[in-house]
Amino acid sequence: MKLKDKVAIIFGGTSGIGEATAKAYANEGARVIVVGRDEEDGDRIVGEIKGNGGEALFAKADVTKAAEIKAVVDKTIEAFGHIDILYNGAGIHDSYKTAVEIEEDEYDKLMAVNLKGPYLATKAVLPHFVEQGSGTIVNVGSQATHVAGPGGSAYVTSKHALEGFTKQLAYDFGGEGIKSNLIAPGFIKTPMTEGIEDERLKDIPAKRAGKPEEVAALAVFLASEDSNYMNGSTVTMDGGWVVGR
Ligand code: NAP
């Protein structure tokens, strides 16, 4: 029970890696707020967590909207009294579009979800962390944090930038008991990667896609006290993919 009595907000908790993370946090004793736009998935996941003896709530929110994020934070405080862990996992892909191919509105939308979303959520949660003198932020980057190719122009830019955001958070708030780290998953089998598995697997030394649960185990480590001396770090979990590129 590495997260016993902790309260975690999981943005992007309604699918894939975030869903697995919400369940893993709950299994470790955390009370979790599963956040996303899809109510049906949110309710299903909360039901599964409760069925396993865990505590969870769904909060519907679009991460590009500050008012909806604030409502999530207010709901969390109202239900559980405090917040210990912020997981910024909401993200969308750009179908490998180049800077010429991607339209301005698609570019803006991707940046709003992948980059501005984590900023808005962090801005809403940080005052609570600062007040209590502790808190953990887990941001979700990608292999696209390290190299070009796993996405297109907007996706790769957003995931590189998220690493800078994570480092600056560590720099600005590390002295206040707040740690911020980034997970850089490789190719993980989720709805986001459906249909592109075969082509990409041959480049991965592990010769298989990762499982959401494997990334979730890393997210547990980064949320737990076991990683208390880590701050501003990027941790890669990619079956060795990036070393061969
Ligand atoms: P996924 O199954 O498609 O899940 C994406 C999540 O983001 C969903 O919970 C979705 O919730 C949420 N989301 C998207 N737009 C949102 C918005 N505007 N407001 C609120 N929530 C929004 O994808 P995944 O593969 O698990 O990816 C999760 C994270 O890991 C992403 O940041 C992704 O870039 C990163 N990642 C994935 C891989 C991979 O191979 N799968 C590799 C590296 C990094 P709703 O639809 O309910 O809103």
Side-chain angles (χ1 to χ4, degrees):
M1 296 293 255
K2 286 187 180 293
L3 304 177
K4 194 167 166 13
D5 298 329
K6 303 288 185 195
V7 175
I9 302 182
I10 319 283
F11 285 98
T14 51
S15 177
I17 299 169
E19 172 178 345
T21 299
K23 290 175 178 171
Y25 281 7
N27 279 342
E28 292 292 339
R31 290 168 284 170
V32 301
I33 309 284
V34 176
V35 191
R37 293 160 307 166
D38 191 319
E39 224 160 331
E40 206 175 301
D41 274 330
D43 288 343
R44 171 184 59 81
I45 292 161
V46 164
E48 286 172 20
I49 290 173
K50 286 181 171 168
N52 259 342
E55 250 188 282
L57 283 176
F58 171 65
K60 184 174 173 158
D62 182 328
V63 290
T64 67
K65 303 200 165 118
E68 294 186 18
I69 288 177
K70 185 183 177 305
V72 171
V73 171
D74 291 348
K75 183 173 180 168
T76 307
I77 296 291
E78 196 187 320
F80 298 135
H82 65 283
I83 307 164
D84 303 289
I85 301 158
L86 167 64
Y87 175 91
N88 282 316
I92 54 175
H93 204 264
D94 60 3
S95 304
Y96 306 97
K97 288 182 180 169
T98 67
V100 172
E101 289 162 348
I102 193 160
E103 295 301 336
E104 191 180 344
D105 59 339
E106 292 176 274
Y107 184 91
D108 285 347
K109 184 177 174 208
L110 186 142
M111 288 300 174
V113 175
N114 291 11
L115 199 52
K116 190 173 166 189
Y119 150 72
L120 289 174
T122 302
K123 190 174 168 66
V125 169
L126 262 173
H128 295 277
F129 285 179
V130 169
E131 198 185 331
Q132 71 194 7
S134 65
T136 294
I137 298 169
V138 179
N139 290 326
V140 182
S142 163
Q143 194 198 28
T145 293
H146 299 302
V147 294
S153 186
Y155 187 78
V156 171
T157 302
S158 74
K159 293 300 186 180
H160 271 68
L162 207 50
E163 185 176 48
F165 179 60
T166 307
K167 286 180 182 174
Q168 190 65 35
L169 286 173
Y171 183 82
D172 289 336
F173 296 97
E176 305 198 48
I178 298 160
K179 64 177 173 180
S180 310
N181 293 293
L182 184 86
I183 296 177
F187 187 83
I188 312 298
K189 201 168 167 49
T190 70
M192 184 182 276
T193 51
E194 233 166 64
I196 48 173
E197 182 170 343
D198 289 347
E199 183 199 326
R200 304 230 120 205
L201 277 176
K202 64 180 187 327
D203 296 331
I204 305 171
K207 298 294 176 208
R208 67 168 177 87
K211 299 175 195 155
E213 294 74 21
E214 291 175 304
V215 184
L218 175 57
V220 167
F221 170 71
L222 290 178
S224 77
E225 290 180 4
D226 289 343
S227 59
N228 269 3
Y229 200 57
M230 286 176 73
N231 210 352
S233 295
T234 295
V235 188
T236 302
M237 181 176 277
D238 68 351
W241 195 9
V242 81
V243 294
R245 290 179 57 92

